[in-house]
Amino acid sequence: MTRRQTIAANLEAVEGRIRRACDAAERRREDVQLVVITKTYPASDIEILHGLGVSDVGENRHPEAGRKKEELGDVGRDLVWHFVGGLQSNKAAAVAAYSDVVHSVDRAKLLPGLSKGAHQAGRPLACLVQVNLDPPEADDTSGRAGAGPSDAADLAHAIETTEGLELRGVMGVAPLGGDPATAFAALARIARMLGETHPRCRLISAGMSDDLEQAVAAGATHVRVGRSVLGERPPLR
Ligand SMILES: *Cc1c(COP(=O)(O)O)cnc(C)c1O
């Protein structure tokens, strides 16, 4: 099989999973956006994905993400770029300049940089509040990203009041070894709570290769799928 055939077959399988999950939850397929997470994979794979009709891709590392977009030229400009990785405040402006949606906004310290990058790019930047869904008793030293659930409202307000930033929703990653359904239900509650004060805050980014069904059941509007489409990633350098 060529790389294109492999990716096409995987994509079809993932599409089937999303469709069945939507049917089971009595949701419309078009209300769930597939974001293919292309981190560690070459720009040539993104070109194949684009050719197969994928509209949204996600990356988690700067500057790798920006480089790939640049390398892809017109194809890169035609795609919607999601940034889903941990952010450093001194890189936030650069990431904001080439990303369409940043899913990993987890502290107010990032906002000046994101605002600056959005301004440089000449358009508002869609931001999601990343919420830490680990159970409260989880070991703090694990260093997993995300604002604490009780800090989400303050961060949401700070985003909404920062020039160039648009609060569009929330993002979460199910806890390692935990129950994704419980975690995603908590994320959906936070999304509803924020939606009461911020009507445009409607997106729920949840679910990856192993738990996209639970995410769709909990109301995810965006699923972030890497391995199930592109295969196991080579080990991190
Ligand atoms: C890598 C990554 C994904 C995709 O994970 P897979 O297990 O490859 O589907 C989703 N979200 C984030 C934040 C990631 O870093």
Side-chain angles (χ1 to χ4, degrees):
M1 276 215 275
T2 63
R3 182 70 176 146
R4 188 177 201 278
Q5 288 168 328
T6 304
I7 293 176
N10 290 346
L11 203 53
E12 199 174 304
V14 166
E15 181 55 38
R17 287 175 61 191
I18 296 173
R19 203 168 280 283
R20 285 191 294 278
C22 285
D23 285 348
E26 298 186 2
R27 299 185 58 200
R28 296 183 306 178
R29 170 65 188 89
E30 60 266 35
D31 293 340
V32 179
Q33 177 66 53
L34 169 64
V35 180
V36 179
I37 305 298
T38 50
K39 65 188 184 201
T40 77
Y41 286 98
S44 56
D45 279 357
I46 303 179
E47 197 157 12
I48 290 172
L49 289 165
H50 178 262
L52 292 167
V54 166
S55 58
D56 289 56
V57 295
E59 287 279 337
N60 77 332
R61 278 200 290 181
H62 176 78
E64 177 188 339
R67 266 205 230 97
K68 285 189 205 168
K69 184 178 179 182
E70 190 71 35
E71 189 181 334
L72 286 161
D74 283 346
V75 166
R77 280 184 287 277
D78 200 38
L79 289 161
V80 178
W81 290 80
H82 299 256
F83 193 87
V84 303
L87 277 166
Q88 288 169 266
S89 49
N90 60 344
K91 308 284 166 57
V95 169
Y98 60 69
S99 302
D100 298 296
V101 187
V102 175
H103 292 226
S104 42
V105 183
D106 64 356
R107 58 198 191 281
K109 216 180 151 210
L110 299 171
L111 304 186
L114 293 173
S115 174
K116 188 172 155 214
H119 182 78
Q120 281 164 356
R123 46 104 180 96
L125 176 70
C127 295
L128 308 186
V129 171
Q130 182 175 355
V131 181
N132 184 341
L133 301 176
D134 289 355
E137 66 272 19
D139 172 4
D140 275 344
T141 61
S142 66
R144 299 199 81 207
S150 57
D151 299 326
D154 283 349
L155 182 54
H157 179 74
I159 293 170
E160 271 299 56
T161 51
T162 299
E163 204 185 321
L165 304 186
E166 284 181 357
L167 173 71
R168 299 295 309 282
V170 296
M171 183 271 237
V173 176
L176 287 169
D179 172 28
T182 307
F184 296 151
L187 185 65
R189 274 197 301 280
I190 292 168
R192 274 196 299 278
M193 185 258 296
L194 297 181
E196 283 168 16
T197 27
H198 309 282
R200 284 186 308 179
C201 181
R202 320 178 67 91
L203 306 186
I204 300 177
S205 166
M208 321 201 304
S209 289
D210 293 335
D211 53 23
L212 73 86
E213 284 84 1
Q214 289 95 330
V216 170
T221 63
H222 288 64
V223 292
R224 309 178 307 267
V225 182
R227 287 172 298 130
S228 292
V229 175
L230 295 170
E232 289 300 324
R233 279 180 290 276
L236 289 181
R237 290 174 297 263

mmCIF file of all heavy atoms in Angstrom, residues 87-90 92-93 96 102 104-119 125 127-129 154-167:
data_model
loop_
_atom_site.group_PDB
_atom_site.id
_atom_site.type_symbol
_atom_site.label_atom_id
_atom_site.label_comp_id
_atom_site.label_asym_id
_atom_site.label_seq_id
_atom_site.Cartn_x
_atom_site.Cartn_y
_atom_site.Cartn_z
ATOM 1 N N LEU A 87 2.241 25.735 25.707
ATOM 2 C CA LEU A 87 2.737 27.017 25.199
ATOM 3 C C LEU A 87 3.666 27.670 26.199
ATOM 4 O O LEU A 87 3.417 27.642 27.399
ATOM 5 C CB LEU A 87 1.560 27.966 24.967
ATOM 6 C CG LEU A 87 0.808 27.834 23.644
ATOM 7 C CD1 LEU A 87 -0.511 28.589 23.730
ATOM 8 C CD2 LEU A 87 1.654 28.379 22.509
ATOM 9 N N GLN A 88 4.711 28.288 25.684
ATOM 10 C CA GLN A 88 5.565 29.135 26.511
ATOM 11 C C GLN A 88 5.194 30.567 26.194
ATOM 12 O O GLN A 88 4.922 30.894 25.025
ATOM 13 C CB GLN A 88 7.027 28.913 26.149
ATOM 14 C CG GLN A 88 7.586 27.588 26.606
ATOM 15 C CD GLN A 88 8.940 27.350 25.974
ATOM 16 O OE1 GLN A 88 9.036 26.714 24.934
ATOM 17 N NE2 GLN A 88 9.986 27.890 26.577
ATOM 18 N N SER A 89 5.231 31.443 27.191
ATOM 19 C CA SER A 89 4.755 32.806 26.923
ATOM 20 C C SER A 89 5.625 33.528 25.896
ATOM 21 O O SER A 89 5.116 34.334 25.127
ATOM 22 C CB SER A 89 4.600 33.606 28.214
ATOM 23 O OG SER A 89 5.752 33.487 28.989
ATOM 24 N N ASN A 90 6.923 33.187 25.849
ATOM 25 C CA ASN A 90 7.769 33.895 24.862
ATOM 26 C C ASN A 90 7.608 33.348 23.434
ATOM 27 O O ASN A 90 8.171 33.896 22.501
ATOM 28 C CB ASN A 90 9.247 33.865 25.293
ATOM 29 C CG ASN A 90 9.781 32.446 25.420
ATOM 30 O OD1 ASN A 90 9.021 31.482 25.488
ATOM 31 N ND2 ASN A 90 11.093 32.315 25.436
ATOM 32 N N ALA A 92 4.331 32.531 22.431
ATOM 33 C CA ALA A 92 2.883 32.624 22.178
ATOM 34 C C ALA A 92 2.569 33.500 20.964
ATOM 35 O O ALA A 92 1.679 33.167 20.169
ATOM 36 C CB ALA A 92 2.169 33.157 23.423
ATOM 37 N N ALA A 93 3.319 34.605 20.788
ATOM 38 C CA ALA A 93 3.027 35.505 19.658
ATOM 39 C C ALA A 93 3.281 34.791 18.342
ATOM 40 O O ALA A 93 2.474 34.884 17.396
ATOM 41 C CB ALA A 93 3.876 36.774 19.754
ATOM 42 N N ALA A 96 0.532 32.290 17.705
ATOM 43 C CA ALA A 96 -0.725 32.970 17.362
ATOM 44 C C ALA A 96 -0.717 33.471 15.925
ATOM 45 O O ALA A 96 -1.753 33.554 15.281
ATOM 46 C CB ALA A 96 -0.966 34.137 18.312
ATOM 47 N N VAL A 102 -6.136 28.241 18.922
ATOM 48 C CA VAL A 102 -5.206 27.736 19.936
ATOM 49 C C VAL A 102 -6.038 27.069 21.033
ATOM 50 O O VAL A 102 -6.848 27.712 21.690
ATOM 51 C CB VAL A 102 -4.315 28.858 20.506
ATOM 52 C CG1 VAL A 102 -3.449 28.321 21.650
ATOM 53 C CG2 VAL A 102 -3.422 29.438 19.410
ATOM 54 N N SER A 104 -4.819 25.386 23.659
ATOM 55 C CA SER A 104 -4.081 25.135 24.891
ATOM 56 C C SER A 104 -3.825 26.402 25.695
ATOM 57 O O SER A 104 -2.760 26.573 26.264
ATOM 58 C CB SER A 104 -2.763 24.447 24.533
ATOM 59 O OG SER A 104 -2.182 25.051 23.378
ATOM 60 N N VAL A 105 -4.799 27.278 25.760
ATOM 61 C CA VAL A 105 -4.645 28.499 26.557
ATOM 62 C C VAL A 105 -4.984 28.133 28.003
ATOM 63 O O VAL A 105 -6.137 27.855 28.326
ATOM 64 C CB VAL A 105 -5.568 29.628 26.045
ATOM 65 C CG1 VAL A 105 -5.324 30.902 26.852
ATOM 66 C CG2 VAL A 105 -5.346 29.875 24.563
ATOM 67 N N ASP A 106 -3.972 28.066 28.850
ATOM 68 C CA ASP A 106 -4.222 27.580 30.212
ATOM 69 C C ASP A 106 -3.781 28.545 31.310
ATOM 70 O O ASP A 106 -3.865 28.226 32.486
ATOM 71 C CB ASP A 106 -3.607 26.192 30.423
ATOM 72 C CG ASP A 106 -2.086 26.189 30.302
ATOM 73 O OD1 ASP A 106 -1.503 27.249 29.975
ATOM 74 O OD2 ASP A 106 -1.487 25.123 30.539
ATOM 75 N N ARG A 107 -3.294 29.734 30.916
ATOM 76 C CA ARG A 107 -2.939 30.718 31.960
ATOM 77 C C ARG A 107 -2.898 32.115 31.355
ATOM 78 O O ARG A 107 -2.592 32.289 30.163
ATOM 79 C CB ARG A 107 -1.618 30.369 32.622
ATOM 80 C CG ARG A 107 -0.444 30.264 31.674
ATOM 81 C CD ARG A 107 0.709 29.482 32.329
ATOM 82 N NE ARG A 107 1.939 29.589 31.546
ATOM 83 C CZ ARG A 107 2.182 28.882 30.445
ATOM 84 N NH1 ARG A 107 1.277 28.041 29.968
ATOM 85 N NH2 ARG A 107 3.318 29.036 29.799
ATOM 86 N N ALA A 108 -3.198 33.086 32.190
ATOM 87 C CA ALA A 108 -3.324 34.472 31.727
ATOM 88 C C ALA A 108 -1.999 35.022 31.205
ATOM 89 O O ALA A 108 -1.981 35.918 30.357
ATOM 90 C CB ALA A 108 -3.857 35.350 32.862
ATOM 91 N N LYS A 109 -0.916 34.467 31.660
ATOM 92 C CA LYS A 109 0.399 34.934 31.252
ATOM 93 C C LYS A 109 0.621 34.819 29.743
ATOM 94 O O LYS A 109 1.478 35.513 29.177
ATOM 95 C CB LYS A 109 1.451 34.092 31.992
ATOM 96 C CG LYS A 109 2.663 34.871 32.393
ATOM 97 C CD LYS A 109 3.672 34.014 33.117
ATOM 98 C CE LYS A 109 5.053 34.606 32.845
ATOM 99 N NZ LYS A 109 6.099 33.614 32.853
ATOM 100 N N LEU A 110 -0.138 33.946 29.098
ATOM 101 C CA LEU A 110 0.024 33.742 27.648
ATOM 102 C C LEU A 110 -0.675 34.823 26.838
ATOM 103 O O LEU A 110 -0.393 34.998 25.647
ATOM 104 C CB LEU A 110 -0.566 32.387 27.238
ATOM 105 C CG LEU A 110 0.053 31.142 27.873
ATOM 106 C CD1 LEU A 110 -0.789 29.909 27.531
ATOM 107 C CD2 LEU A 110 1.485 30.960 27.367
ATOM 108 N N LEU A 111 -1.601 35.538 27.446
ATOM 109 C CA LEU A 111 -2.513 36.377 26.663
ATOM 110 C C LEU A 111 -1.839 37.559 25.968
ATOM 111 O O LEU A 111 -2.163 37.825 24.798
ATOM 112 C CB LEU A 111 -3.699 36.843 27.526
ATOM 113 C CG LEU A 111 -4.489 35.693 28.179
ATOM 114 C CD1 LEU A 111 -5.725 36.237 28.896
ATOM 115 C CD2 LEU A 111 -4.881 34.617 27.182
ATOM 116 N N PRO A 112 -0.905 38.271 26.618
ATOM 117 C CA PRO A 112 -0.277 39.382 25.883
ATOM 118 C C PRO A 112 0.411 38.913 24.603
ATOM 119 O O PRO A 112 0.292 39.556 23.555
ATOM 120 C CB PRO A 112 0.729 39.949 26.890
ATOM 121 C CG PRO A 112 0.203 39.539 28.234
ATOM 122 C CD PRO A 112 -0.454 38.206 28.013
ATOM 123 N N GLY A 113 1.113 37.805 24.661
ATOM 124 C CA GLY A 113 1.795 37.274 23.481
ATOM 125 C C GLY A 113 0.808 36.843 22.411
ATOM 126 O O GLY A 113 0.986 37.147 21.225
ATOM 127 N N LEU A 114 -0.229 36.137 22.818
ATOM 128 C CA LEU A 114 -1.238 35.695 21.849
ATOM 129 C C LEU A 114 -1.886 36.902 21.168
ATOM 130 O O LEU A 114 -2.116 36.917 19.953
ATOM 131 C CB LEU A 114 -2.312 34.833 22.530
ATOM 132 C CG LEU A 114 -1.852 33.467 23.055
ATOM 133 C CD1 LEU A 114 -2.966 32.795 23.862
ATOM 134 C CD2 LEU A 114 -1.401 32.554 21.905
ATOM 135 N N SER A 115 -2.161 37.920 21.961
ATOM 136 C CA SER A 115 -2.779 39.135 21.442
ATOM 137 C C SER A 115 -1.869 39.811 20.414
ATOM 138 O O SER A 115 -2.310 40.238 19.335
ATOM 139 C CB SER A 115 -3.071 40.085 22.613
ATOM 140 O OG SER A 115 -3.546 41.316 22.145
ATOM 141 N N LYS A 116 -0.584 39.860 20.739
ATOM 142 C CA LYS A 116 0.389 40.475 19.852
ATOM 143 C C LYS A 116 0.452 39.712 18.515
ATOM 144 O O LYS A 116 0.456 40.315 17.435
ATOM 145 C CB LYS A 116 1.761 40.458 20.540
ATOM 146 C CG LYS A 116 2.831 41.224 19.838
ATOM 147 C CD LYS A 116 4.077 41.300 20.726
ATOM 148 C CE LYS A 116 5.306 41.494 19.856
ATOM 149 N NZ LYS A 116 6.478 40.826 20.414
ATOM 150 N N GLY A 117 0.476 38.383 18.609
ATOM 151 C CA GLY A 117 0.530 37.552 17.398
ATOM 152 C C GLY A 117 -0.720 37.701 16.550
ATOM 153 O O GLY A 117 -0.651 37.734 15.312
ATOM 154 N N ALA A 118 -1.876 37.776 17.202
ATOM 155 C CA ALA A 118 -3.133 37.953 16.476
ATOM 156 C C ALA A 118 -3.117 39.289 15.744
ATOM 157 O O ALA A 118 -3.535 39.392 14.581
ATOM 158 C CB ALA A 118 -4.314 37.892 17.445
ATOM 159 N N HIS A 119 -2.609 40.307 16.421
ATOM 160 C CA HIS A 119 -2.514 41.634 15.826
ATOM 161 C C HIS A 119 -1.593 41.613 14.611
ATOM 162 O O HIS A 119 -1.932 42.148 13.547
ATOM 163 C CB HIS A 119 -2.015 42.627 16.874
ATOM 164 C CG HIS A 119 -1.929 44.023 16.376
ATOM 165 N ND1 HIS A 119 -3.043 44.823 16.247
ATOM 166 C CD2 HIS A 119 -0.877 44.747 15.941
ATOM 167 C CE1 HIS A 119 -2.667 45.990 15.753
ATOM 168 N NE2 HIS A 119 -1.358 45.976 15.560
ATOM 169 N N LEU A 125 -7.900 35.889 16.996
ATOM 170 C CA LEU A 125 -7.463 34.513 17.221
ATOM 171 C C LEU A 125 -8.489 33.781 18.090
ATOM 172 O O LEU A 125 -8.840 34.250 19.170
ATOM 173 C CB LEU A 125 -6.108 34.502 17.935
ATOM 174 C CG LEU A 125 -5.568 33.117 18.318
ATOM 175 C CD1 LEU A 125 -5.153 32.325 17.083
ATOM 176 C CD2 LEU A 125 -4.402 33.247 19.289
ATOM 177 N N CYS A 127 -9.566 31.197 20.697
ATOM 178 C CA CYS A 127 -8.875 30.578 21.832
ATOM 179 C C CYS A 127 -9.802 29.625 22.581
ATOM 180 O O CYS A 127 -10.978 29.927 22.789
ATOM 181 C CB CYS A 127 -8.436 31.648 22.833
ATOM 182 S SG CYS A 127 -7.192 32.783 22.193
ATOM 183 N N LEU A 128 -9.255 28.502 22.999
ATOM 184 C CA LEU A 128 -9.974 27.589 23.886
ATOM 185 C C LEU A 128 -9.243 27.559 25.221
ATOM 186 O O LEU A 128 -8.009 27.568 25.263
ATOM 187 C CB LEU A 128 -10.022 26.169 23.304
ATOM 188 C CG LEU A 128 -10.518 25.988 21.870
ATOM 189 C CD1 LEU A 128 -10.639 24.495 21.533
ATOM 190 C CD2 LEU A 128 -11.849 26.679 21.628
ATOM 191 N N VAL A 129 -10.003 27.528 26.290
ATOM 192 C CA VAL A 129 -9.412 27.383 27.621
ATOM 193 C C VAL A 129 -9.123 25.900 27.839
ATOM 194 O O VAL A 129 -10.039 25.074 27.805
ATOM 195 C CB VAL A 129 -10.379 27.887 28.718
ATOM 196 C CG1 VAL A 129 -9.845 27.525 30.109
ATOM 197 C CG2 VAL A 129 -10.570 29.391 28.608
ATOM 198 N N ASP A 154 -12.279 32.718 35.324
ATOM 199 C CA ASP A 154 -11.435 33.922 35.335
ATOM 200 C C ASP A 154 -10.597 34.010 34.060
ATOM 201 O O ASP A 154 -10.444 35.091 33.474
ATOM 202 C CB ASP A 154 -10.482 33.904 36.540
ATOM 203 C CG ASP A 154 -11.204 34.274 37.834
ATOM 204 O OD1 ASP A 154 -12.372 34.746 37.748
ATOM 205 O OD2 ASP A 154 -10.615 34.074 38.913
ATOM 206 N N LEU A 155 -10.055 32.871 33.633
ATOM 207 C CA LEU A 155 -9.239 32.868 32.425
ATOM 208 C C LEU A 155 -10.107 33.196 31.199
ATOM 209 O O LEU A 155 -9.696 33.952 30.317
ATOM 210 C CB LEU A 155 -8.547 31.509 32.270
ATOM 211 C CG LEU A 155 -7.609 31.350 31.081
ATOM 212 C CD1 LEU A 155 -6.547 32.448 31.043
ATOM 213 C CD2 LEU A 155 -6.937 29.963 31.103
ATOM 214 N N ALA A 156 -11.319 32.650 31.187
ATOM 215 C CA ALA A 156 -12.239 32.925 30.075
ATOM 216 C C ALA A 156 -12.516 34.422 29.986
ATOM 217 O O ALA A 156 -12.481 35.021 28.899
ATOM 218 C CB ALA A 156 -13.551 32.156 30.277
ATOM 219 N N HIS A 157 -12.764 35.026 31.128
ATOM 220 C CA HIS A 157 -13.029 36.465 31.157
ATOM 221 C C HIS A 157 -11.809 37.252 30.673
ATOM 222 O O HIS A 157 -11.925 38.205 29.908
ATOM 223 C CB HIS A 157 -13.423 36.886 32.574
ATOM 224 C CG HIS A 157 -13.685 38.352 32.695
ATOM 225 N ND1 HIS A 157 -14.829 38.945 32.199
ATOM 226 C CD2 HIS A 157 -12.925 39.353 33.220
ATOM 227 C CE1 HIS A 157 -14.766 40.249 32.417
ATOM 228 N NE2 HIS A 157 -13.631 40.528 33.031
ATOM 229 N N ALA A 158 -10.633 36.818 31.107
ATOM 230 C CA ALA A 158 -9.399 37.512 30.699
ATOM 231 C C ALA A 158 -9.206 37.415 29.179
ATOM 232 O O ALA A 158 -8.788 38.382 28.535
ATOM 233 C CB ALA A 158 -8.204 36.921 31.449
ATOM 234 N N ILE A 159 -9.521 36.267 28.601
ATOM 235 C CA ILE A 159 -9.399 36.115 27.142
ATOM 236 C C ILE A 159 -10.365 37.072 26.442
ATOM 237 O O ILE A 159 -9.994 37.797 25.517
ATOM 238 C CB ILE A 159 -9.672 34.655 26.716
ATOM 239 C CG1 ILE A 159 -8.567 33.726 27.236
ATOM 240 C CG2 ILE A 159 -9.808 34.544 25.193
ATOM 241 C CD1 ILE A 159 -8.865 32.233 27.072
ATOM 242 N N GLU A 160 -11.620 37.066 26.898
ATOM 243 C CA GLU A 160 -12.656 37.893 26.263
ATOM 244 C C GLU A 160 -12.317 39.377 26.325
ATOM 245 O O GLU A 160 -12.739 40.157 25.475
ATOM 246 C CB GLU A 160 -14.020 37.670 26.931
ATOM 247 C CG GLU A 160 -14.842 36.573 26.355
ATOM 248 C CD GLU A 160 -15.233 36.731 24.891
ATOM 249 O OE1 GLU A 160 -14.333 36.899 24.034
ATOM 250 O OE2 GLU A 160 -16.429 36.664 24.593
ATOM 251 N N THR A 161 -11.574 39.779 27.330
ATOM 252 C CA THR A 161 -11.284 41.201 27.478
ATOM 253 C C THR A 161 -9.901 41.557 26.928
ATOM 254 O O THR A 161 -9.417 42.658 27.137
ATOM 255 C CB THR A 161 -11.407 41.625 28.959
ATOM 256 O OG1 THR A 161 -10.633 40.733 29.763
ATOM 257 C CG2 THR A 161 -12.851 41.573 29.429
ATOM 258 N N THR A 162 -9.252 40.611 26.240
ATOM 259 C CA THR A 162 -7.964 40.902 25.611
ATOM 260 C C THR A 162 -8.180 41.167 24.127
ATOM 261 O O THR A 162 -8.836 40.375 23.442
ATOM 262 C CB THR A 162 -6.986 39.715 25.792
ATOM 263 O OG1 THR A 162 -6.777 39.501 27.183
ATOM 264 C CG2 THR A 162 -5.647 40.016 25.123
ATOM 265 N N GLU A 163 -7.634 42.285 23.671
ATOM 266 C CA GLU A 163 -7.816 42.668 22.277
ATOM 267 C C GLU A 163 -7.254 41.609 21.329
ATOM 268 O O GLU A 163 -6.167 41.082 21.553
ATOM 269 C CB GLU A 163 -7.101 43.989 22.030
ATOM 270 C CG GLU A 163 -7.685 44.740 20.869
ATOM 271 C CD GLU A 163 -6.876 45.984 20.573
ATOM 272 O OE1 GLU A 163 -6.435 46.646 21.529
ATOM 273 O OE2 GLU A 163 -6.682 46.257 19.379
ATOM 274 N N GLY A 164 -8.033 41.277 20.319
ATOM 275 C CA GLY A 164 -7.568 40.334 19.311
ATOM 276 C C GLY A 164 -7.839 38.878 19.645
ATOM 277 O O GLY A 164 -7.615 38.014 18.805
ATOM 278 N N LEU A 165 -8.308 38.600 20.857
ATOM 279 C CA LEU A 165 -8.580 37.207 21.225
ATOM 280 C C LEU A 165 -10.074 36.972 21.342
ATOM 281 O O LEU A 165 -10.802 37.810 21.875
ATOM 282 C CB LEU A 165 -7.903 36.850 22.553
ATOM 283 C CG LEU A 165 -6.397 37.077 22.624
ATOM 284 C CD1 LEU A 165 -5.844 36.540 23.942
ATOM 285 C CD2 LEU A 165 -5.673 36.443 21.431
ATOM 286 N N GLU A 166 -10.515 35.816 20.830
ATOM 287 C CA GLU A 166 -11.927 35.441 20.932
ATOM 288 C C GLU A 166 -12.044 34.143 21.703
ATOM 289 O O GLU A 166 -11.473 33.132 21.296
ATOM 290 C CB GLU A 166 -12.519 35.212 19.525
ATOM 291 C CG GLU A 166 -12.810 36.485 18.782
ATOM 292 C CD GLU A 166 -13.424 36.219 17.407
ATOM 293 O OE1 GLU A 166 -13.568 35.032 17.023
ATOM 294 O OE2 GLU A 166 -13.745 37.197 16.737
ATOM 295 N N LEU A 167 -12.775 34.178 22.776
ATOM 296 C CA LEU A 167 -13.006 32.965 23.552
ATOM 297 C C LEU A 167 -14.037 32.118 22.815
ATOM 298 O O LEU A 167 -15.185 32.525 22.646
ATOM 299 C CB LEU A 167 -13.540 33.336 24.934
ATOM 300 C CG LEU A 167 -13.982 32.147 25.780
ATOM 301 C CD1 LEU A 167 -12.780 31.339 26.231
ATOM 302 C CD2 LEU A 167 -14.811 32.613 26.954
#
